[in-house]
């Protein structure tokens, strides 16, 4: 195999991620400065701006070279491809030409060839290739949106804000350009309120443009600055149409985020409402009422506790591994299963259901028929003996203890109520499963019964 | 255990809830008055306002002290922590410093130290710590939203209204501040329509500010009051951008509320539509058509009747308790189960399904094969004998009666149609379950059969 | 029982429905005319308007009397209550007083008592009770929304339009009232563009008010008519805030309707997309591709065909009735089940599944192992014999025919392919169910086997 | 049968589809030009426009004739009807009259009859029948929306844009018409800024109209052009109301599209979030963490891989065909099943579940109890032998290989770990199913066991 990993950049490498983020900042600057130069500087930046532009172009050239060393994931086999030749072929056949076109300094090239500095329309148009770089910003936001370390709400807002800013800025610059090039200075949107605006301060002119742009975009439309000649009207028609779409898009996105953001609260309300109605309608006793509401609250306060839904989605082989990892250490230490073969333990573990219970829930009620056996993974459980309506705590159980097994193995009603003291995670094992093990795996069955009898 | 509950405040204590609500009113007042003082009073409130501010600061200081006595729920164990030391450590390590900073009267402190009354920019900025208090309002609304005693729609509207009002008020005050501090009085937004506005009535100036603020916020933008100088334009740009977000957020929330509000009506319509189409397409007889539509209507009119969905979410131990509480008293009194052991009754009860039926539904049809046994929990059922297409009511059943058992135990077709007279809650027991009991619990089986034969 | 149905009005009576609709038209007129009279007529309508108002009041008085005869449905038992006394008690204890207050002609009463015609503020305020009548419009729309004969989209639009119109009308009238009562005629919103507006044509003034009202409401805000004095500014502030809420509410509703309206198209697209992707990825042969896509299209073109989902919601007793009604006549006529007892037929029918298939689907493939038996309820099926890749139609089946039974009863592979010719509804019966019947019901089993052998 | 297919046009014929698309372009032109001619040309187009109108009318006449030859799908039987007579009857009884009315050149007809060219109001109104043609555009978009080859987002946007453009254009033309016909030229919306506007350039007037129209529609409302006389105010009132609805509709649609567009990203985030929380809370080892996250990512990257959901929707007969087509060729070649009868193979294939696994997932763990047998359909699997915590790759498996069968048939724990190397598609067969086959189909069972023993 001829892939030399030393010369290859991995896409998830932290240093490359930093470089990517830095490039996005460059793109943002470059997207801001380009329309500004066209409109307010006659497309010929001077001094600092010119140097900055050249440096950025150099960075983009570097990025193109780096891409030839960037490993990628093959979509068919889902394997990381590190072969430099495949990487190069893939890049050359996709975005290479556009990346190159957006980086070539056409004006400089033109000067080298023709020997003259010229700021014609053709260079301005060729400069529009630079907007291709915005693709990087899009990719950056798309990646962040899928990264669960960041809030989806704020990433999405930032994305929309960037789009809005960029549109407002472009529209402001273009609108100024229209006024600047119009032959009759007084018959322009800015000239009608600031005669001789061309002599005014650059900042003032820029702010007036942006002010108009944003007051049109947000549909405030004070009317203090408005289109005067036909050319401006045409521009305005397209800008307003475009804004209509953008505003709808912004609202659509916000609605989506709000819906997502309040979904859980709504579900919580509906769920509690149903439970509360149920309790009221049936005049359930306060003790039961508390238990039901506490459980419903727990479900939402700690939704992540509900792991069943996740397990259902995973393939069987992974689920088995998880169960084995999570519950085997606890189950192995339970007195009943000491000395039992690993195979039987694995069978038991994969047939258990994990349940979370809030404090003060009755897990098993006194005098109930035997049905399930519970093992405590975390939390505490009280043993309560009820007589004549008074409850008396006769003991406590902790992690690694088992309860309900006496009743299940001797097939008699439960002698105690078992009640959680704190938030507890319990493993529930059906009596049937236990009995199946006792019958099918005879060696282990004898061990279990010996353990049981010894413990009494 | 060293927790003295007498000295501890419980977060669900009614008196503490009242105090919290009162503090929210204080915060609201404080948030309104602070920008107003800065803009219209040169940051130095006089007379009544000054006294009110001082009183509120005193209340906030009290609240900080109270928080040291406020029990909290530990997120890991879900248990209420009442240990004063843990409470203090938790508070000091989280919000204490910010709470303190928002309460210290910096201006008074400055006067004590420097001996001079000074209304500088630094005090205005330090005063911005007071906006930290708004966190209390947020918490208040978040809590109310989860409280099912209040309508989610109105709580959410109130929250949005509060945010809108606050933003409008702040923007109005700030915009006036800009005009007030501008050197050239005539070249300001307010000065261009009211020359010598500084001499005008305070109320008039405030209303003009709010009028401008809200007409920009709602994007009406009449244009009678508009930005005149560059400074105002810059402020306006940010305000409009901010409004764009707020408007989208308002609409998003309203959409969410409307969707939630009309969900049930839509489901009802879809459900009835499906049933109605089904009936029409298959030319079902009017009697069956009525039954189907009545049942579908009942499902939505009284959605809360559907308790199955809730039961599915609760852990098994709670479900058992509920069934036992709801149905055992009824089942115990059924003639067939008189004298049966409690264990068997519990087994039967947990294997029954509760069903609600609207009036005039056929539960069992004459000549049907035996399948289910029904026990009436509430409502009334008619016994109907059909011959030659005419129905004749031959009897009625009430709460505690059982029907279908003759057919189920003797394994013969039903001799009567059983039809509900009013809205009825029935318990459905499968024939199989009943026969399983007869076979496995022999003592109880004999009791049941004796009861059955005696009753004939 | 003392209910005399002749004297009772049923709420679903067509004549009463007409009366209700007529009353809604009256309310709409009354809600429109009341603010208009206050603003433009100094609260003293003359001539035609006065007579119309009086007639409407008479109608409302009649409606109050009718309500004492109107039966209602009791929410607990779901039974229609026709007892006049209960009806009266219920009405008197709920809305009677408000209904009465909205109908009493206070001005006329005042004239009778004091002997003077007076149009004071107090009468205007008492007149506001009339807006209580709008409750009828709300109820009317709520009822229509639940009526599946009308499109939800248009009912909802009409409701929103009514609310919008009413608000616009009220705001226009109130705004005019403010200008009309302002001491300085020129310093009002209307006076600043139409000096001496009080002498102008009534229609012109009304249209100008509505024009301002709606241009503010839709946030267009041209600015040609705008608030001039502080009083108008305050009114405007509240109106704009109110509009913000209304606009958000309108958009929220529209979004909800659009989502509902396009839901089916989206589901169709997603569904077809998934099927299409699946077919392409797996390079399925064109014949299978066609069958899959045709089936997916059918599911959405004729969603109502899918009756399984509805059946799942209905209680078991109703489902049985439906199956019996729909399929028993067909199954009874199938040659295999001629002479079989009704009980066995019912058992078979309730264990069958109805399936709809588009034209040209293979139901059973030649050489397949026996598994299901199909009965044709509607449509046509071809019998195809394949040899050397060529298909030859050897027969056709129609409503009432059964196929797959030869293979199922003799336990041999299928000898033919069965393919639908048109859209067909088939009943699927599992081989197991059939064999269960043959074994458990021996008499019927012999009949079936005899029928089968005779038919060969 | 008398259908001559040579003379019939099939609706899915490519040439007819092109013709339909061409007609939609014609309709769009015709809808644009008609209001323009009415407003700016006094309803009497000259020269090129007149000729273009005539040509389009000719095309529409052709389309009417073509419709008589167009086959259609019968909604009851889902079969294509090709009988010319039925087609004609169906068309004549539905849309024929309206289509005709929208095509008759009333003005030309009037000239022929009366011998005079007259541009009266009656002809303008009769011309409104042409708007009926827009139905074709609606149908066109509805069809495209259901076509999965096009993006729903862009089709929907195009549709909304078309509606918006059309409304803006109509409103602009009508508003100009109002000004043009108003007696007092200076007291119109356009006359108050451009005195003598009737002498101005046609393009300039049109652009001013559209500028006003769109600035009102988007609620910008600069106020530079605004209603002056009452007639214009009334028009404006209706236009603004209409826009309110349209804007809400646009936003509603956009929200719907955004929600649909981001749905998958949100689901991905939620899903990963849940998995990530689960892993963190339970301190799972890094190896297991990787496996879980890789699997969750795969599920969303390649959602189309999940074919189970689709299979559940299809009827059983189609599912069987698919399984047979997809898996039989692979299963037939597995060494274990060589020489097994086709019937048994089909039984095995329909009882297998297809699973996709990302690279580096453990499918079977060493020492696990035997449970499932896997067949590789695509991808590669490594055989790993673990001892003392070190993994050693001892072999590789490819398409057509089977693993887990040794353990399953000899009922001993697995001797190796099987781990995927690339994205793999596996068929999972339960041990129970395999054993059922061995017992019930004895001949095939012997073949399988022979294969198994020979292979060892």
């Amino acid at each position: 195999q001829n892939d030399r990993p030393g010369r290859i950049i991995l896409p998830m490498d932290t240093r490359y991620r930093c470089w990517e983020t830095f490039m996005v900042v460059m793109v943002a600057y470059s997207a801001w400065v380009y329309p500004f130069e066209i409109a307010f500087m006659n497309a010929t930046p001077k001094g600092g701006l010119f140097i900055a532009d050249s440096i950025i172009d150099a960075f983009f050239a570097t990025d193109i070279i780096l891409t030839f060393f960037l490993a990628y994931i093959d979509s068919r086999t889902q394997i990381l491809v590190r072969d430099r030749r495949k990487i190069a072929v893939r890049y050359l056949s996709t975005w290479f030409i556009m990346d190159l076109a957006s980086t070539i300094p056409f004006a400089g090239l033109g000067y080298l060839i023709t020997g003259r500095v010229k700021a014609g329309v053709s260079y301005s148009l060729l400069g529009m290739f630079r907007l291709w770089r915005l693709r990087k910003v899009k990719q950056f936001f798309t990646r962040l949106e899928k990264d669960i370390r960041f809030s989806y709400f704020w990433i999405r807002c930032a994305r929309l804000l960037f789009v809005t800013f960029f549109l407002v800025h472009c529209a402001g610059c273009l609108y100024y350009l229209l006024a600047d090039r119009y032959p009759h200075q007084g018959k322009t949107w800015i000239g009608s309120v600031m005669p001789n605006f061309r002599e005014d301060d650059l900042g003032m002119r820029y702010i007036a443009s942006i002010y108009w742009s944003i007051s049109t975009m947000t549909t405030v439309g004070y009317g203090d600055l408005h289109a005067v000649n036909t050319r401006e009207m045409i521009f305005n028609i397209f800008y307003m149409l475009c804004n209509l779409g953008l505003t709808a898009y912004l609202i659509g996105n916000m609605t989506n985020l709000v819906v997502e953001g309040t979904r859980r609260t709504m579900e919580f309300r509906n769920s509690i409402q149903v439970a509360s109605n149920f309790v009221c309608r049936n005049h359930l006793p306060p003790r039961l009422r508390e238990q039901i509401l506490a459980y419903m609250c727990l479900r939402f306060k700690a939704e992540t506790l509900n792991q069943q839904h996740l397990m259902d989605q995973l393939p069987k082989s992974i689920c088995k591994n998880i169960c084995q990892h999570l519950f085997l250490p606890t189950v192995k230490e339970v007195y009943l299963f000491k000395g039992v073969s690993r195979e039987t333990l694995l069978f038991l573990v994969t047939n258990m259901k994990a349940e979370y219970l809030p404090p003060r829930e009755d897990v098993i009620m006194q005098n109930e028929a035997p049905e399930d056996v519970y093992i405590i993974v975390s939390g505490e459980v009280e043993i309560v003996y009820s007589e004549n309506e008074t409850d008396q705590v006769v003991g406590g159980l902790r992690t690694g203890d088992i309860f309900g097994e006496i009743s299940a193995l001797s097939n008699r009603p439960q002698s105690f109520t078992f009640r959680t003291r704190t938030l507890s995670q319990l493993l529930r094992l059906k009596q049937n499963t236990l009995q199946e093990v006792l019958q099918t795996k005879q060696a282990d069955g004898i061990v279990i019964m010996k353990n049981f009898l010894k413990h009494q």
Side-chain angles (χ1 to χ4, degrees), chain A residues 94-141:
Chain A
T94 51
W95 309 121
F96 172 70
I97 289 166
M98 286 304 288
D99 281 357
L100 196 71
S102 72
T103 307
I104 293 173
F106 291 104
L109 221 69
Y111 175 70
L112 282 179
I113 293 167
T114 63
R116 274 179 304 168
V117 176
K118 220 179 72 185
V121 176
S122 57
Y123 288 137
S124 300
L125 287 178
L126 282 171
M128 283 181 68
F129 275 118
R130 292 196 194 173
L131 298 182
W132 168 258
R133 293 171 181 175
L134 286 170
R135 199 176 60 102
K136 277 202 182 291
V137 183
K138 208 192 150 203
Q139 284 173 346
F140 178 70
F141 277 117

Side-chain angles (χ1 to χ4, degrees), chain A residues 34-245:
Chain A
Y34 170 69
F36 185 79
E37 285 174 5
I38 299 275
F40 292 90
M41 301 196 152
N42 218 357
T44 49
K46 281 169 226 105
L49 273 182
F50 180 73
I51 295 167
D53 284 9
S54 305
I55 292 173
I56 286 172
D57 282 355
F59 274 119
F60 279 102
T62 314
D63 192 56
I64 290 176
I65 294 164
L66 283 181
T67 308
F68 280 102
F69 294 84
L70 185 66
Y72 68 95
I73 289 172
D74 182 78
S75 67
R76 205 177 49 81
T77 59
Q78 298 282 322
I79 286 181
L80 197 74
V81 174
R82 318 172 118 206
D83 182 354
R84 286 238 311 264
R85 205 163 146 197
K86 279 187 191 165
I87 295 171
V89 165
R90 186 172 175 257
Y91 185 41
L92 286 170
S93 63
T94 51
W95 309 121
F96 172 70
I97 289 166
M98 286 304 288
D99 281 357
L100 196 71
S102 72
T103 307
I104 293 173
F106 291 104
L109 221 69
Y111 175 70
L112 282 179
I113 293 167
T114 63
R116 274 179 304 168
V117 176
K118 220 179 72 185
V121 176
S122 57
Y123 288 137
S124 300
L125 287 178
L126 282 171
M128 283 181 68
F129 275 118
R130 292 196 194 173
L131 298 182
W132 168 258
R133 293 171 181 175
L134 286 170
R135 199 176 60 102
K136 277 202 182 291
V137 183
K138 208 192 150 203
Q139 284 173 346
F140 178 70
F141 277 117
T142 305
R143 187 156 57 75
L144 284 193
E145 275 171 18
K146 289 199 177 150
D147 192 333
I148 56 164
R149 284 171 302 168
F150 304 102
S151 151
Y152 186 70
F153 184 84
W154 294 114
I155 294 295
R156 196 82 196 170
C157 284
R159 182 182 192 153
L160 296 173
L161 211 64
F162 182 85
V163 171
T164 309
F165 267 133
F166 184 66
L167 189 73
V168 163
H169 173 75
C170 285
C173 290
L174 263 170
Y175 204 46
Y176 178 80
L177 193 68
L178 279 183
D180 197 47
R181 301 287 153 87
Y182 199 74
H184 191 315
Q185 199 173 339
K187 284 206 69 180
T188 59
W189 63 272
I190 192 163
S192 61
V193 287
M194 298 178 180
N196 299 315
F197 65 91
R198 283 193 195 112
E199 276 78 51
D200 267 335
D201 179 40
L202 176 68
M204 225 170 124
R205 280 180 286 157
Y206 179 65
I207 282 166
S209 302
I210 295 294
Y211 172 69
W212 168 84
S213 181
I214 212 162
S215 83
T216 299
M217 218 275 284
T218 57
T219 76
V220 172
Y222 290 117
D224 48 348
L225 301 171
H226 61 80
V228 172
N229 55 58
T230 307
R231 218 184 275 176
E232 287 169 11
M233 281 186 184
I234 294 173
F235 176 77
N236 232 328
I237 287 170
F238 286 102
Y239 186 45
M240 286 189 284
L241 256 181
C242 186
N243 288 335
L244 190 65

